Amino acid sequence: MSTDQWPLWEVFIRSKNGLSHKHVGSLHAPDAQTALLNARDVYTRRSEGVSIWVVEARHIHASSPDAKEPLFSPADDKVYRHPTFYDIPDEVGHM
Amino acid sequence: MKKNIHTQGAPPLLIYTLRLADNAMILGQRLSEWCGHGPELELDIALSNIALDQLGHARMLYQYAAKQLGPDYTEDDLPFFRDADSFHNLLIVELPNGHWGDTLARQFLFDTYNYFLYRRLCSSADDTIKSIAQKAIKEITYHAQWSAEWVIRLGDGTQESHQKIQKSFEDLWMWTGEFFMADEIDCQMAEYGIGVHPEQLKDAWRSKVEEILDIATLHVPDATWYQRGGKQGRHTEYLGYILAEMQHLPRMYPEAKW
């Protein structure tokens, strides 16, 4: 390892079976295996999860904040796209 | 007024329990010195976690030791009201932390020993030791994996990290013989099926250490002579300083409460 900083990794934790992984934060680590160990120590100390994903931050491609209007504004006035006109039975649980 | 607990002539089960407890306590105390000083935030948290796990193991074992002593004793009396010659930890856990490589090398050598020991203790004939071991082994398995990964990365890292951790292993090697030296208490506990005969751990430990050092491109040091005495209460000067820091508050204010 050189004097450069370790690469940044984004951490995703699945809190229980049946739910999806959620982004919880980031950390530094020299490689994937140690990133997983670090994630376990930094983000799952209070039984937060049953599964960890790590991905090097440079592999994530993000939408540009400048493109916010064309990307997202058109959806604002299309209320009919929301499934709010249905009654969802309680038994369905997570949607 | 609290009175000092002396373990000279104590029953073998109590001494055996304290050997396990004191290893966990003194190593936990040592490792906690790194808290806030780790080389990276993530490693600082990882090592502090390990320190806390060790403290947790020590608490369970001290509770058991206090029960053996009788109703007048609590788990706190054992770490706080004993002098160095009544502590029974291995010498290696009381050594100063040194640099990060020294700490990792010691951690790897000890974790690997502790892993094979506790795996066997999971089937102890003593129900309390058995249930403590079954709880602790999950954490100890993680510790052993963590420290092995880091030994590999420092050994197979830069030329400087390689040289430094190789030197750490050379310096620590003479303290590893005590893992496998049996005395009368070890033999008796093994005979009852309560404890493990230390010599039976040696092959598994040796082959794991050789495997990891090989991956780490390090060589296993040679030693012709090993330090001994911690289990019997004969310690290095370092333990006295650890105890002074750990014990001064409860000894000055024995009734102090959180």
Side-chain angles (χ1 to χ4, degrees), chain A residues 1-2 5-6 26-31 33-34 36-38 40-42 45, chain B residues 40-43 45-46 49 52-53 139 142 145-146 149-150 153-154 157-158:
Chain A
M1 277 164 252
S2 67
Q5 259 213 331
W6 290 342
S26 54
L27 49 76
H28 290 95
D31 53 62
Q33 182 58 33
T34 46
L36 282 171
L37 296 181
N38 287 350
R40 181 266 191 193
D41 288 324
V42 176
R45 298 183 60 215
Chain B
E40 291 284 335
L41 172 78
E42 291 82 358
L43 299 182
I45 293 174
N49 267 339
L52 281 173
D53 289 345
E139 292 171 349
Y142 181 77
Q145 187 199 350
W146 183 86
E149 292 285 357
W150 281 102
R153 277 156 186 78
L154 289 185
T158 63

